Amino acid sequence: MSDQNVFPVDPAFAANAHIDNAKYEAMYEQSINDPEAFWGEQGKRIDWIKPYTRVKNTSFDPHNVSIKWYEDGTLNVSANCLDRHLATRGDQVAIIWEGDNPEEDEKITYRDLHERVCRFANALKAQGIQKGDVVTLYLPMIPEAAVAMLACTRIGAIHSIVFGGFSPEALASRIIGAKSKLVVTSNYSLRGGKQVPLKANVDAAIDDHGASACIERVIVVQRTTKDVAWHENRDVWCHEVCAAASADCPPEEMNAEDPLFILYTSGSTGQPKGLQHTTGGYLVYASMTHEYIFDYHEGDVYWCTADVGWVTGHSYIVYGPLANGATTLMFEGVPSYPDNSRFGRVIEKHKVNQFYTAPTAIRALMQQGEDVLGDSDLSSLKLLGSVGEPINPEAWTWYHRIFGKGKCPIVDTWWQTETGGIMIVPLPGATPTKPGSATRPFFGVQPALVDSEGNEIVGAGDGNLVITDSWPGQSRSIFGDHERFVQTYFSTFKGSYTTGDGARRDEDGYYWITGRVDDVINVSGHRMGTAEVESALVAHPAVAEAAVVGYPHDLKGQGIYVYVTLKAGYEQSDDLMKELRNWVRSEIGPIASPDLIQFSPGMPKTRSGKIMRRILRKIAEDDFSALGDTSTLADPSVVDDLIEHRLNRK
Ligand code: ATP
Ligand code: MG
């Protein structure tokens, strides 16, 4: 391999893995050369009511974007996630729930989960929900979130999950956009020991922000004993309607292309889009990627720390794992409560084998030092995963060392809400890894790099990441706006799906995601991704987090504007600023030398923890009158501080 910093596959891991390198290469080749045969075979991993005879019928032609997989097959998702496991693993734990409070947990078997889902499904019907209706879920990370999702799929209703951290306005716009009749929420949610008034937010969305136009009913889960305002003609308690419902609910027969859910993207770059996913192809893809990428084996305990409000929670807490009959851990709390060792404590307590989290969480823990996990016993871990942003090599090696004790492979999983499942990723028994690279495509995925004119870049190089053909997990449309779907994803580079991300491909064919294409900086004619400069900064001992954007510069076209958050114990100073500038020059080269460095106590982040460079760019441009949609910001006060201390003033 061309790179110095390569982590080879452990032969012992490969020997027991589902996929070793020879298998990867043979299967990948077949998946590309004969997708009909490949996916025709893979489709059998789930149960069909009426088997499909057609496998792939897709077109990326911008005049006729149409994506169909297994189009004449019928199935039910909840039956695949529950009923088909009852005979063999009814008493196996399906969901381990770990509460915000470390004293609180619950183990739910497949049999229990099946019963709860059937009751909930009948309760939804009793509240007037029918096949094709959209149900909004605005819930904390409690078992009812998974129960409500599966209950929707059981009766053919479409769920639209809105992350419980969103404001009443953001919730209302998503309810209205999806024309949803019913919301499921809880009276409060618990995070880090604090109660968050979810039900009051729902009331505000309905009464003050226009969601009354469609909402008829609110089902309320009682999470805490604290009182809550009640509307007799609108609200019902979840435990009451479920107790009154029958535990017998036959699964609805759904076509493979019937909608399964709508999900709004996390909102890093602009107006959120309600992406629509369908039933058959999505489940095949979620289940297959979960098994192979996490190398899940019977009996393993698997933990993904995402929230079900994001696509990661959909595909890799609920649908993928449960379709595979796995034991999936669901965590209500936050990594810093009761203290920063919580992730380690939960891994130890439940003997977690696969652990899947985000770079933002890793960087936050890294700031706390090497002994952040205390004396937690992490010996059960076999594999680590990362998702959501490029993982800086510095954070990758820390994760590998502190969580993985140097022995666990890391799967850096690149994908999007739009893709439904993981797309570019090392397979742990097959692919040597390089810190910071998502490495190679998953089966059936054909990535390509194109320049701004749409010419394909061959061999090593840098460009816009596109996908040239369809895969089963792909989103089929934007809910209610197919034209926007076509415009956004299929009109820029004709015949391909445009990801909006930039990437570099190295001599070994490995992909390195360089950041969003919109964030690429052009300094004196040199194009630069944000990820590389940020990673160089994060590698400096004083830097906890860094974000890089371009701003108009008279001589260079664009200058490099850097926002830096320091680790505890470091003070901002002119000397440190000089040092950081020199550091980047020596790590990358003079071309990447920052022009302006602003120290900031925090970064503007989405609720899913991603840095919103769009806002940082506006501030760097000294043009913050129109920051765009900021409803997905986790902490809007960060923005005020950034504006106050901005360095570029016209
Ligand atoms: P919006 O589309 O509304 O701006 P978003 O793109 O943040 O929001 P998601 O679909 O949750 O919403 O995130 C997908 C994006 O996250 C990818 O396009 C990519 O930029 C980034 N991403 C996810 N995983 C990785 C990864 N492993 N490496 C690099 N980037 C990643
Ligand atoms: Mg996106």
Side-chain angles (χ1 to χ4, degrees):
M1 292 234 137
S2 55
D3 236 86
Q4 296 298 305
N5 202 7
V6 177
F7 290 73
V9 175
D10 174 1
F13 192 102
N16 293 310
H18 292 300
I19 310 283
D20 62 16
N21 197 46
K23 248 190 180 160
Y24 170 77
E25 288 186 350
M27 283 174 73
Y28 184 74
E29 195 184 298
Q30 196 212 5
S31 73
I32 302 306
N33 295 339
D34 193 355
E36 287 280 335
F38 182 85
W39 291 113
E41 190 57 32
Q42 286 302 326
K44 296 181 190 154
R45 61 188 295 114
I46 61 171
D47 284 355
W48 298 82
I49 298 170
K50 178 168 148 285
Y52 47 86
T53 63
R54 301 194 64 175
V55 176
K56 179 175 189 285
N57 178 10
T58 67
S59 160
F60 283 2
D61 174 355
H63 301 291
N64 173 36
V65 173
S66 163
I67 301 156
K68 292 185 177 139
W69 286 87
Y70 310 111
E71 61 183 304
D72 60 349
T74 64
L75 72 162
N76 180 279
V77 167
S78 83
N80 268 285
C81 292
L82 301 168
D83 307 46
R84 72 165 169 156
H85 303 312
L86 293 181
T88 50
R89 46 172 85 94
D91 297 324
Q92 185 202 305
V93 175
I95 297 178
I96 299 175
W97 177 74
E98 167 80 10
D100 183 57
N101 175 345
E103 319 265 88
E104 247 191 304
D105 60 18
E106 191 184 350
K107 293 196 166 111
I108 304 168
T109 64
Y110 273 94
R111 200 178 313 287
D112 297 340
L113 188 60
H114 176 261
E115 184 184 329
R116 286 167 73 162
V117 167
C118 288
R119 283 187 191 281
F120 203 112
N122 280 326
L124 285 173
K125 281 192 196 165
Q127 300 304 322
I129 295 300
Q130 297 174 345
K131 180 173 175 174
D133 286 344
V134 179
V135 173
T136 299
L137 310 181
Y138 184 67
L139 283 164
M141 288 288 288
I142 52 177
E144 282 78 3
V147 170
M149 290 165 81
L150 291 164
C152 287
T153 73
R154 193 149 193 101
I155 62 174
I158 304 163
H159 60 71
S160 169
I161 307 191
V162 179
F163 173 56
F166 278 138
S167 64
E169 293 96 306
L171 171 62
S173 73
R174 287 160 175 76
I175 288 173
I176 296 164
K179 302 189 180 67
S180 179
K181 299 208 282 195
L182 184 146
V183 187
V184 184
T185 190
S186 63
N187 56 348
Y188 293 89
S189 74
L190 273 180
R191 276 172 81 78
K194 293 193 197 69
Q195 301 213 23
V196 183
L198 288 195
K199 164 75 163 60
N201 287 348
V202 170
D203 289 342
I206 298 173
D207 298 327
D208 309 332
H209 298 284
S212 54
C214 37
I215 290 296
E216 294 164 10
R217 188 71 75 225
V218 180
I219 297 182
V220 186
V221 179
Q222 187 167 30
R223 173 66 191 101
T224 73
T225 51
K226 197 169 164 181
D227 272 348
V228 71
W230 204 254
H231 301 80
E232 281 303 336
N233 52 355
R234 193 164 79 197
D235 303 336
V236 292
W237 283 113
C238 183
H239 56 272
E240 289 178 3
V241 291
C242 284
S246 149
D248 179 29
C249 180
E252 188 76 32
E253 180 171 356
M254 303 299 288
N255 180 270
E257 284 300 324
D258 281 337
L260 178 64
F261 64 83
I262 302 168
L263 181 61
Y264 288 85
T265 52
S266 67
S268 308
T269 54
Q271 205 54 36
K273 304 167 277 277
L275 290 152
Q276 192 171 308
H277 282 280
T278 57
T279 303
Y282 171 82
L283 195 66
V284 170
Y285 199 73
S287 132
M288 183 182 179
T289 46
H290 172 262
E291 182 180 1
Y292 289 164
I293 293 166
F294 300 101
D295 200 46
Y296 188 87
H297 286 80
E298 194 75 36
D300 284 347
V301 175
Y302 159 90
W303 180 18
C304 166
T305 70
D307 192 282
V308 290
W310 313 124
V311 73
T312 308
H314 285 62
S315 301
Y316 300 113
I317 294 178
V318 178
Y319 292 122
L322 296 181
N324 291 338
T327 298
T328 180
L329 194 149
M330 194 172 180
F331 176 44
E332 183 183 33
V334 294
S336 56
Y337 179 82
D339 64 46
N340 286 310
S341 69
R342 187 69 190 274
F343 275 175
R345 303 289 169 208
V346 177
I347 291 167
E348 169 172 350
K349 177 176 175 189
H350 299 293
K351 303 202 168 41
V352 172
N353 302 117
Q354 292 92 1
F355 178 71
Y356 187 28
T357 194
T360 182
I362 298 166
R363 288 193 301 261
L365 293 175
M366 202 165 110
Q367 270 179 64
Q368 308 295 326
E370 301 271 300
D371 53 1
V372 59
L373 300 178
D375 59 1
S376 316
D377 177 3
L378 307 178
S379 58
S380 57
L381 285 177
K382 298 196 281 194
L383 175 142
L384 304 170
S386 171
V387 62
E389 285 183 292
I391 177 165
N392 323 104
E394 188 73 9
W396 194 104
T397 35
W398 188 88
Y399 191 31
H400 190 252
R401 197 175 75 247
I402 303 297
F403 276 79
K405 306 295 176 211
K407 67 173 177 60
C408 298
I410 296 184
V411 293
D412 176 2
T413 66
W414 176 84
W415 60 298
Q416 309 177 299
T417 308
E418 294 86 341
T419 68
I422 296 165
M423 300 287 280
I424 302 183
V425 64
L427 290 185
T431 316
T433 48
K434 304 180 188 182
S437 173
T439 77
R440 308 192 286 191
F442 189 72
F443 304 124
V445 174
Q446 299 187 57
L449 300 179
V450 295
D451 66 20
S452 47
E453 272 78 57
N455 305 306
E456 184 164 351
I457 294 160
V458 183
D462 204 309
N464 298 285
L465 177 63
V466 301
I467 314 290
T468 61
D469 200 358
S470 184
W471 63 99
Q474 178 171 27
S475 167
R476 306 299 196 249
S477 197
I478 290 177
F479 184 74
D481 197 350
H482 194 64
E483 190 47 36
R484 184 173 175 208
F485 183 68
V486 174
Q487 279 303 320
T488 311
Y489 304 109
F490 299 94
S491 62
T492 321
F493 303 110
K494 305 269 179 294
S496 287
Y497 165 78
T498 300
T499 68
D501 285 341
R504 177 164 69 83
R505 191 171 44 221
D506 69 17
E507 292 75 16
D508 299 313
Y510 276 30
Y511 289 85
W512 300 71
I513 306 300
T514 51
R516 320 271 174 161
V517 175
D518 293 346
D519 294 335
V520 166
I521 309 171
N522 194 328
V523 183
S524 311
H526 297 270
R527 288 164 54 81
M528 233 177 300
T530 49
E532 199 181 8
V533 188
E534 287 164 7
S535 289
L537 284 157
V538 173
H540 187 280
V543 176
E545 220 160 16
V548 173
V549 298
Y551 72 103
H553 189 287
D554 290 345
L555 299 176
K556 306 189 209 174
Q558 273 189 310
I560 297 183
Y561 195 122
V562 169
Y563 298 85
V564 168
T565 303
L566 295 176
K567 284 188 190 158
Y570 288 90
E571 293 288 326
Q572 68 178 74
S573 69
D574 289 347
D575 282 347
L576 182 54
M577 206 182 285
K578 258 184 230 141
E579 194 181 314
L580 290 177
R581 202 167 272 140
N582 288 333
W583 175 269
V584 176
R585 288 173 81 93
S586 68
E587 293 274 299
I588 304 179
I591 189 71
S593 176
D595 295 279
L596 297 171
I597 300 180
Q598 177 174 351
F599 294 100
S600 162
M603 299 288 173
K605 287 190 181 169
T606 61
R607 300 278 174 173
S608 55
K610 300 185 197 195
I611 297 172
M612 269 171 126
R613 290 184 195 71
R614 173 172 63 85
I615 288 182
L616 294 173
R617 195 160 54 227
K618 287 271 179 195
I619 296 172
E621 287 165 359
D622 195 25
D623 168 25
F624 44 86
S625 51
L627 289 180
D629 181 10
T630 53
S631 65
T632 58
L633 268 176
D635 176 9
S637 70
V638 172
V639 175
D640 301 330
D641 179 88
L642 287 166
I643 290 175
E644 189 184 332
H645 297 104
R646 71 192 185 280
L647 298 174
N648 176 31
R649 293 169 194 252
K650 284 179 201 148

